[in-house]
Amino acid sequence: MRLLLIRHGRTASNVGHLLDTGHPGAPLDEVGRAQAEALATTLAGSGVEAVYTSDLTRARQTAAPLARALGLPVRELRGLREIYAGDDDMSADWDPYVAVLWSWVDDPDASLPNGETGTAFMDRFDAAVDEVAASGVGCAALVSHGAALRVWVPARATNVAADDTATWPLDNTDVIEVEGDPATGWRVVRWAGSAP
């Protein structure tokens, strides 16, 4: 199957460089709303048969125009949420958060104070993807979050590594296209419009 993994549209937290990882999170700003509308046009002929989103406000708002354009319902999966930063939520200092995410290669149980571990994140994101795959659709759009996608994709894709994807662009409403399935793994076909 194909998954179109989409980073949500822009928010005021993105503009302010704030670590917005909690529920419900910031809504889309004016630019983000325009990005969501443009995404619906961009993906109109992509073969999407189902639209899924995290339950954070910005992801739901990003998914809505696409689902509306395709005449599909939006299905919320809590497992697609951003990686929770715990006590560092809404911090302007991303360094401790990024350091923990990088540490998961060797220590998947590391976390920020009251934050999420790598094991917990991967288990819930995998469960969400498993649910999408079990639906039987050939192509699904999943609206999620930057850190979540940067961690999950290289961990589960057979043709890219975290060292590669760490520096690849992933702007608001960029799409990562992967093919495969949960049993055999996934291959990145395109990352934000470019082949890996």
Side-chain angles (χ1 to χ4, degrees):
M1 76 176 303
R2 291 169 59 226
L3 300 179
L4 303 183
L5 304 166
I6 302 161
R7 185 181 173 206
H8 62 80
R10 197 181 86 169
T11 70
S13 296
N14 294 146
V15 175
H17 303 287
L18 300 176
L19 196 53
D20 187 353
T21 65
H23 184 271
L28 297 180
D29 65 10
E30 183 177 347
V31 170
R33 290 190 296 274
Q35 289 171 331
E37 293 292 342
L39 178 71
T41 301
T42 300
L43 296 183
S46 61
V48 171
E49 300 168 47
V51 178
Y52 293 85
T53 178
S54 89
D55 61 347
L56 300 187
T57 301
R58 58 194 180 273
R60 289 187 290 106
Q61 291 177 332
T62 301
L66 175 62
R68 187 171 55 249
L70 297 175
L72 296 169
V74 176
R75 297 182 173 102
E76 288 186 19
L77 294 176
R78 189 174 185 270
L80 298 178
R81 273 188 185 183
E82 182 59 290
I83 299 166
Y84 185 53
D87 294 354
D88 280 20
D89 190 50
M90 297 308 291
S91 170
D93 181 5
W94 284 64
D95 291 345
Y97 182 72
V98 172
V100 165
L101 302 188
W102 273 105
S103 77
W104 286 350
V105 173
D106 299 314
D107 184 8
D109 292 322
S111 72
L112 292 170
N114 296 310
E116 194 167 19
T117 67
T119 300
F121 164 69
M122 292 300 292
D123 285 350
R124 58 125 166 133
F125 206 97
D126 283 341
V129 172
D130 289 351
E131 184 173 336
V132 174
S135 74
V137 299
C139 179
L142 280 63
V143 181
S144 187
H145 305 270
L149 296 177
R150 283 194 182 279
V151 169
W152 187 82
V153 171
R156 294 297 182 250
T158 59
N159 65 327
V160 298
D163 287 347
D164 300 323
T165 62
T167 58
W168 293 355
L170 189 60
D171 296 327
N172 295 109
T173 65
D174 274 352
V175 179
I176 304 167
E177 181 181 351
V178 300
E179 291 181 346
D181 59 68
T184 61
W186 303 92
R187 278 188 71 259
V188 174
V189 177
R190 298 191 76 70
W191 180 291
S194 300

